[in-house]
Amino acid sequence: NFTYCPATGLAVGNEHSEFAGWAFPFPGVSVMEEFISEDEESELVELMDRDDWKPSQSGRRKQDYGPKVNFKKQRLKAGSFSGLPSFSRKIVAQMEACSLLDGFSPVEQCNLDYRPERGSAIDPHFDDCWLWGERLVTLNLLSHTVLSMSCDSEGSIQLMPAARKENEPSPHGALPAGSDAGQERRSSCLASPRLVPCREVRVGIALPRRSLVVLRGAARYGWKHGIHRGHIRRRRVGVTFRELSAEFSPGGAQEELGRELLAIALSFRGRPV
């Protein structure tokens, strides 16, 4: 049980757990708070609610703006896809202004509606890699939640003692600075990093209301992401944007199809499919 720290890029052991005082690097996550204003949030949700929400799995409802895809057979067609919704044009422009999202051109938007009375959640999963590219971008609306990261790898994670604030007591036991026992314990911590199996590690990423989270690299491909029922306390709407993979980008085997899909997406004339 660890919590992601945006300031350091570390997953830090939760207080009062056996991993308090330990941490490890957790690359590939960026959280931008207050990405949109309260007024913009209200307008977005109002416009979403004018369209129908379709029932989805695990107590969720959804609105999808994207091509029709059979991920198992790796087949897709434009079908009734008419583009991203008009109200997303401004959000996409704001994303384009972020250096982190340089070159990000969303070809799909999925709105997911979570409510505690429906027991809404989403199981840990990887997003498809055949069609969707490296960066997964989600705008978190209406309430705070936690994105839970888990890993199925057979390997181990090496922990290191986390940096502490000045005058904060050691999580490994308060010992006098000059004592032999204190020196020995500190040396032991530095010389013998702690190893834990990947499968036993969970990392929580706090998503404040109106924040934008970007997953890429290791966080995209090495860790599953999900949201527990217990982290849905009020209505929450997640708006996820996805870009095309290399196969559908310039120079890829299906470049022409990718160009067609992107032209449709960025017409901003879409209705939920």
Side-chain angles (χ1 to χ4, degrees):
N1 295 308
F2 293 78
T3 298
Y4 176 72
C5 175
T8 62
L10 298 175
V12 181
N14 291 345
E15 189 177 0
H16 305 306
S17 78
E18 65 173 299
F19 297 108
W22 294 90
F24 64 95
F26 199 81
V29 178
S30 297
V31 179
M32 290 172 266
E33 297 190 26
E34 300 290 338
F35 189 76
I36 62 172
S37 67
E38 290 186 34
D39 288 343
E40 289 172 324
E41 176 189 50
S42 297
E43 182 181 8
L44 277 174
V45 176
E46 180 185 350
L47 290 169
M48 289 178 194
D49 286 341
R50 291 180 185 179
D51 283 318
D52 292 334
W53 290 89
K54 295 182 179 180
S56 186
Q57 299 173 326
S58 302
R60 304 185 307 274
R61 297 189 305 167
K62 69 177 180 179
Q63 295 173 340
D64 191 44
Y65 300 83
K68 186 175 182 180
V69 186
N70 184 323
F71 291 109
K72 188 174 182 179
K73 295 183 178 180
Q74 294 192 343
R75 295 177 183 171
L76 71 89
K77 57 183 178 179
S80 57
F81 177 41
S82 53
L84 304 188
S86 59
F87 55 78
S88 292
R89 186 188 295 271
K90 185 178 179 181
I91 299 173
V92 172
Q94 288 177 239
M95 291 193 295
E96 289 175 346
C98 299
S99 58
L100 179 66
L101 293 172
D102 182 47
F104 182 81
S105 296
V107 74
E108 193 248 16
Q109 175 179 331
C110 182
N111 305 333
L112 290 178
D113 178 82
Y114 295 74
R115 305 225 186 192
E117 60 268 26
R118 294 199 305 263
S120 300
I122 189 164
D123 292 336
H125 66 283
F126 289 113
D127 276 30
D128 172 76
C129 298
W130 167 67
L131 177 59
W132 309 134
E134 178 172 358
R135 292 168 291 188
L136 303 177
V137 182
T138 298
L139 183 61
N140 185 59
L141 303 177
L142 296 182
S143 64
H144 172 97
T145 193
V146 176
L147 191 64
S148 298
M149 311 294 287
S150 56
C151 183
D152 290 340
S153 170
E154 295 289 348
S156 296
I157 293 173
Q158 180 174 295
L159 307 181
M160 60 185 181
R164 300 189 305 278
K165 296 179 182 178
E166 190 176 356
N167 298 325
E168 182 180 342
S170 167
H172 310 294
L175 292 168
S179 70
D180 291 340
Q183 295 288 359
E184 182 179 346
R185 181 171 296 184
R186 277 186 289 276
S187 298
S188 176
C189 287
L190 292 173
S192 304
R194 189 173 180 178
L195 294 177
V196 291
C198 293
R199 291 176 179 269
E200 297 181 11
V201 174
R202 299 290 182 271
V203 179
I205 302 173
L207 301 184
R209 182 175 177 176
R210 297 188 303 281
S211 65
L212 189 81
V213 60
V214 180
L215 301 182
R216 63 193 189 284
R220 158 75 160 106
Y221 298 114
W223 292 79
K224 292 182 177 180
H225 58 275
I227 294 180
H228 298 312
R229 286 176 175 81
H231 289 144
I232 300 296
R233 308 288 177 82
R234 293 180 294 165
R235 185 186 182 191
R236 180 249 177 183
V237 172
V239 184
T240 296
F241 298 89
R242 299 180 175 93
E243 63 185 343
L244 289 169
S245 68
E247 181 170 343
F248 295 86
S249 299
Q254 302 199 58
E255 173 184 358
E256 186 175 341
L257 177 56
R259 188 184 301 113
E260 175 189 351
L261 293 174
L262 199 55
I264 296 173
L266 299 182
S267 71
F268 295 101
R269 298 197 297 258
R271 302 282 298 177
V273 295

